[in-house]
């Protein structure tokens, strides 16, 4: 990974740097399966919403942008919910109401707004992947240390060292805070990568790495 890509991976991370979608992230990361299910659900909704908004953006007025983004996101979330309930019932039951919350997820909404401003579908894919990877990291740590298991498979030698708090609600905040602190301490999330090319919810979602790109070009 190049320096520029590394900068992008951190600066554009919706959860650890922009602190968006914390509610479903905390709820879904108690297990790796839940984290992966939530991450993929957000990724699919984000990409499909981006494609549709991009196709219709010339017909969407500025005044109608917000309601259109919400309706489009809610429609795709409903489709994803039905598919998960049909083909992945265990994960659907595990995530519960938090799948529906994706419809008003600021990561999804911000990417939809960015699509209306000309952002490409690749930006949606990249942002969704960054979000999913961070959920997986949290899920692995919480399930491994909190339940002494991984993907539901018990790990015998860790059973006596479980930190049960990590598998409960406070555990999500603890792990997220530690990860955010590590990123901040390492100086990976630079202030100039906060989003200077867009305004509104799209700022920091699609074009927040532009300053990093400029810095790389200068060097």
């Amino acid at each position: 990974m190049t320096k520029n890509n590394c900068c992008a991976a951190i600066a554009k991370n919706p959860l650890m740097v922009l602190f968006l979608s914390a509610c479903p992230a905390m709820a879904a990361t108690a297990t790796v399966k839940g984290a992966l299910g939530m991450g993929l659900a957000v990724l699919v909704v984000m990409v499909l919403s981006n494609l549709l908004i991009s196709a219709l953006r010339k017909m969407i007025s500025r005044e109608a942008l917000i309601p259109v983004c919400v309706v489009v996101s809610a429609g795709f979330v409903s489709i994803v919910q039905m598919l998960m309930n049909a083909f992945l019932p265990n994960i659907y039951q595990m995530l519960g109401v938090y799948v529906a919350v994706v419809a008003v997820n600021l990561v999804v909404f911000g990417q939809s707004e960015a699509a209306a401003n000309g952002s490409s579908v690749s930006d949606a894919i990249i942002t969704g992947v960054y979000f999913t990877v961070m959920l997986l990291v949290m899920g692995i740590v919480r399930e491994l240390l909190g339940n002494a298991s991984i993907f539901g498979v018990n790990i015998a030698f860790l059973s006596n060292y479980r930190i049960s708090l990590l598998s409960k609600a406070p555990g999500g905040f603890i792990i997220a805070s530690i990860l955010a602190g590590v990123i901040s301490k390492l100086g990976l999330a630079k202030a100039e990568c906060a989003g200077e090319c867009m305004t509104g919810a799209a700022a920091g979602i699609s074009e927040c790495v532009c300053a990093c790109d400029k810095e790389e070009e200068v060097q």
Side-chain angles (χ1 to χ4, degrees):
M1 179 179 289
T2 65
K3 180 181 178 181
N4 187 56
N5 289 335
C6 180
C7 182
I10 300 301
K12 295 176 72 174
N13 193 283
L15 182 59
M16 290 294 103
V17 175
L18 303 176
F19 298 103
L20 301 178
S21 303
C23 179
M26 302 307 166
T29 55
T31 64
V32 177
K33 289 182 179 179
L36 183 59
M38 177 60 72
L40 292 179
V42 170
L43 176 60
V44 170
V45 171
M46 191 180 301
V47 171
L48 294 178
S49 298
N50 185 285
L51 286 171
L52 185 57
I53 295 295
S54 295
L56 301 176
R57 68 189 184 91
K58 292 184 178 180
M59 296 183 286
I60 303 174
S61 65
R62 178 56 56 181
E63 292 76 15
L65 179 59
I66 292 178
V68 168
C69 288
V70 172
V71 170
V72 169
S73 299
F76 284 124
V77 167
S78 297
I79 294 173
V80 169
Q81 276 187 293
M82 289 187 286
L83 291 174
M84 290 183 70
N85 193 22
F87 299 104
L88 300 169
N90 291 335
I91 294 179
Y92 178 76
Q93 293 297 326
M94 188 183 300
L95 296 177
V97 70
Y98 293 102
V99 179
V101 173
V102 174
V104 290
N105 191 317
L106 283 178
V107 174
V108 176
F109 176 77
Q111 192 60 56
S112 297
E113 186 183 2
N117 285 306
S119 174
S120 67
V121 68
S122 62
D123 288 322
I125 295 173
I126 291 171
T127 302
V129 169
Y130 292 161
F131 180 72
T132 302
V133 168
M134 195 53 62
L135 289 189
L136 279 175
V137 172
M138 291 180 62
I140 290 171
V141 173
R142 292 183 65 189
E143 184 175 358
L144 196 62
L145 300 182
N147 295 328
S149 64
I150 193 74
F151 281 102
V153 179
N154 291 327
I155 301 176
F157 73 90
L158 288 177
S159 59
N160 294 327
Y161 305 98
R162 287 182 295 180
I163 306 173
S164 58
L165 179 65
L166 295 182
S167 63
K168 299 177 181 178
F173 291 95
I174 293 171
I175 299 302
S177 299
I178 291 173
L179 290 175
V182 169
I183 290 173
S184 177
K185 183 64 176 179
L186 294 176
L188 296 176
K190 298 182 180 180
E192 64 266 29
C193 298
E196 63 178 30
C197 298
M198 286 188 176
T199 59
I205 297 292
S206 177
E207 300 296 332
C208 67
V209 77
C210 56
C212 292
D213 293 336
K214 293 176 183 178
E215 180 183 351
E216 183 73 12
E217 290 174 3
V218 172
Q219 293 178 350

